[in-house]
Amino acid sequence: MQGEDTLESTRYFIKGRTYPAADPGLQDALAQVYGSPERPRCLCVSGGIEMYIARHAEYIVKRMPDTGHLHHPTCPSFEPEPGMSGLGELAGVAIIEHAPDQVEVRTDFAMSRLPGKAVPRGEAVIDPAEVHAPRKRMSLRALLHFLYERGGFNRWYPAMEGRRNQGVLHKYLSEAARGVTVKGASLDERLYVPEPFRVELKDEIGERRRKKLALLLSPEDAGQYKMAIIVGEYNGSEATAFGRRIVVKHMPDVPLYIETKAWERVERSYAAILQARDADVPKKPRVMMAALVYAKREHVYQVDTVSMMLTTDQWIPLDGLHELPLIELLQREQRAFMKPMRYDARSAAGFPNVLLLDSGTVPMPLHVTSPLMEAKERSAKEKVLAGLPAAWIWMTAKSMPALPAHR
């Protein structure tokens, strides 16, 4: 998870010795116990908590399933109770942890496409032989939120200041897909996150990208073609004779194409997010995009489905611009915090806008409401707040209350 190598206080207990996360000897210590019954313990709380060792290019310490809430809130392995975000509706149903490094996600979209045909929906049956209860499936937005949270980009620790960039985004979102399967496919094989673009390395970067997306040229059974997910920063679009041309930041030489009518629906659905890029604020927000793509022609990438997410200039997710002053203040004050992700919840009103992680042994929920929120969302938020008389609440039409003390 992004942040594990930036929190200097993280320590692990292995074979009678304590190792800081940045200790050069940690890799050798992990190698000694990898594959054995002995587990490292995270020392964020008294007595420590057992951890799991994964092996990729190097050994990585990860939390065991269902133990996230046992860690101290400032620990990178901390995970709040599921009800604090939209994750609660999907955990164990659409997101299934078979093992610490083996996660299955069940999506409501396919990972292959039959050119020229929509996915068959099936016909209504008057007298069915059986009736199935509906099963929760993740949308593309929920999958984007899952990767973002798994990569640690919805968290902020003071040590992250000045360390987030496209290279970090590429590394940790790509790592977040490892050990995850979707529709029987390995997600890390189907996910492409642009690496930092440099003109002098354009050819090398292009070759690596083509190699990664070469799977789009390999047909599956019954003539269906594989699809991949590109996650990157939206950087504008323009009309062409072939539909809309979408530019992804750090992929300036390779646009994505989408049908004009589909793009018009995108603009209607994500109008508030797209307009936020031009907001009158000192640090312009970013728009992150997840695009499900296929190869309409060799090396020409066509968008099948798209989802967008607003973030700060430091890639911290936002549910709206009303949250931006609070999050930027927390950064200036060098506080540790987490932004709960909505996933597929119908509304984000029931979740804290921010969880403050450094105000005690439990996270402190921070709530924000604005008179400019959509009426339905504002009403839902006000109902939640009415039942929280002691909560920290900022109504943006008024001055922001003092932040809870750092402890």
Side-chain angles (χ1 to χ4, degrees):
M1 177 174 57
Q2 190 260 153
E4 286 185 1
D5 59 351
T6 61
L7 195 62
E8 297 175 358
S9 60
T10 304
R11 298 173 301 135
Y12 302 113
F13 185 77
I14 306 170
K15 296 184 76 67
R17 180 179 168 185
T18 299
Y19 295 84
D23 191 321
L26 178 60
Q27 284 294 305
D28 289 338
L30 293 174
Q32 291 180 34
V33 296
Y34 179 72
S36 74
E38 187 169 350
R39 298 187 182 279
R41 299 185 73 85
C42 177
L43 298 180
C44 65
V45 296
S46 179
I49 300 170
E50 281 195 346
M51 302 291 282
Y52 168 81
I53 306 173
R55 186 177 183 182
H56 300 300
E58 58 182 15
Y59 294 100
I60 300 173
V61 183
K62 296 186 175 183
R63 66 168 173 262
M64 298 286 287
D66 303 320
T67 64
H69 65 286
L70 300 177
H71 290 262
H72 192 277
T74 57
C75 178
S77 294
F78 170 78
E79 186 177 63
E81 297 288 352
M84 289 287 191
S85 72
L87 179 63
E89 296 182 3
L90 300 173
V93 181
I95 302 174
I96 303 168
E97 285 195 64
H98 297 290
D101 209 31
Q102 184 183 355
V103 181
E104 176 189 358
V105 296
R106 298 175 178 177
T107 63
D108 64 4
F109 57 88
M111 291 298 291
S112 60
R113 178 187 175 96
L114 188 62
K117 292 187 178 181
V119 176
R121 297 291 181 186
E123 298 180 359
V125 179
I126 304 252
D127 185 18
E130 57 191 10
V131 175
H132 295 279
R135 298 176 180 175
K136 284 190 177 294
R137 294 289 186 270
M138 298 172 67
S139 67
L140 185 59
R141 178 181 73 183
L143 185 62
L144 174 60
H145 288 193
F146 170 76
L147 287 170
Y148 224 74
E149 181 156 14
R150 192 170 163 90
F153 287 97
N154 67 326
R155 300 177 184 234
W156 184 265
Y157 302 105
M160 290 177 174
E161 184 67 42
R163 298 190 182 186
R164 280 196 176 176
N165 51 50
Q166 185 64 28
V168 171
L169 202 75
H170 166 78
K171 175 182 177 180
Y172 286 101
L173 286 181
S174 298
E175 286 186 0
R178 290 177 182 166
V180 179
T181 58
V182 54
K183 303 291 186 183
S186 177
L187 183 56
D188 64 340
E189 294 178 359
R190 298 294 185 101
L191 176 70
Y192 179 72
V193 182
E195 59 183 282
F197 184 79
R198 295 171 57 184
V199 174
E200 64 272 23
L201 298 178
K202 176 181 175 181
D203 292 342
E204 296 174 29
I205 292 171
E207 184 60 31
R208 286 192 290 270
R209 181 180 58 242
R210 286 186 288 275
K211 184 177 180 180
K212 180 73 173 182
L213 296 176
L215 63 90
L216 298 179
L217 306 178
S218 304
E220 292 188 320
D221 295 338
Q224 295 190 41
Y225 285 82
K226 296 175 182 177
M227 292 199 283
I229 300 170
I230 294 177
V231 173
E233 183 179 347
Y234 171 74
N235 203 32
S237 66
E238 60 183 9
T240 73
F242 313 106
R244 201 77 184 185
R245 183 178 184 268
I246 301 173
V247 179
V248 180
K249 202 165 186 179
H250 294 281
M251 278 180 58
D253 53 333
V254 182
L256 308 179
Y257 286 91
I258 188 171
E259 294 178 358
T260 301
K261 288 185 177 180
W263 180 251
E264 290 172 355
R265 293 196 297 272
V266 170
E267 289 185 313
R268 288 195 299 270
S269 299
Y270 296 107
I273 288 178
L274 292 170
Q275 287 180 332
R277 298 173 71 232
D278 299 319
D280 185 12
V281 292
K283 298 178 180 178
K284 300 297 183 184
R286 302 176 188 268
V287 173
M288 292 298 295
M289 179 178 71
L292 189 64
V293 303
Y294 63 98
K296 192 169 185 177
R297 299 177 181 85
E298 281 79 5
H299 306 296
V300 176
Y301 308 124
Q302 188 80 15
V303 175
D304 177 273
T305 308
V306 66
S307 182
M308 292 183 169
M309 175 178 69
L310 187 66
T311 78
T312 71
D313 70 313
Q314 293 297 303
W315 292 275
I316 300 168
L318 294 169
D319 282 322
L321 286 171
H322 59 289
E323 296 177 334
L324 186 58
L326 171 59
I327 288 178
E328 290 188 335
L329 175 62
L330 290 170
Q331 288 181 286
R332 289 195 301 273
E333 295 291 326
Q334 296 191 332
R335 304 301 296 269
F337 62 90
M338 170 187 288
K339 168 62 187 163
M341 307 295 287
R342 181 175 172 180
Y343 288 82
D344 281 329
R346 290 187 177 182
S347 169
F351 312 132
N353 294 83
V354 176
L355 281 175
L356 193 57
L357 303 177
D358 59 9
S359 60
T361 57
V362 294
M364 171 67 73
L366 307 182
H367 294 271
V368 183
T369 182
S370 164
L372 298 181
M373 292 168 62
E374 291 185 6
K376 187 176 180 180
E377 189 75 5
R378 185 178 69 253
S379 176
K381 188 71 172 180
E382 289 171 351
K383 287 181 181 178
V384 170
L385 297 180
L388 302 172
W392 189 96
I393 302 169
W394 175 41
M395 298 180 179
T396 60
K398 302 178 180 180
S399 298
M400 188 184 302
L403 294 172
H406 187 293
R407 296 180 185 174

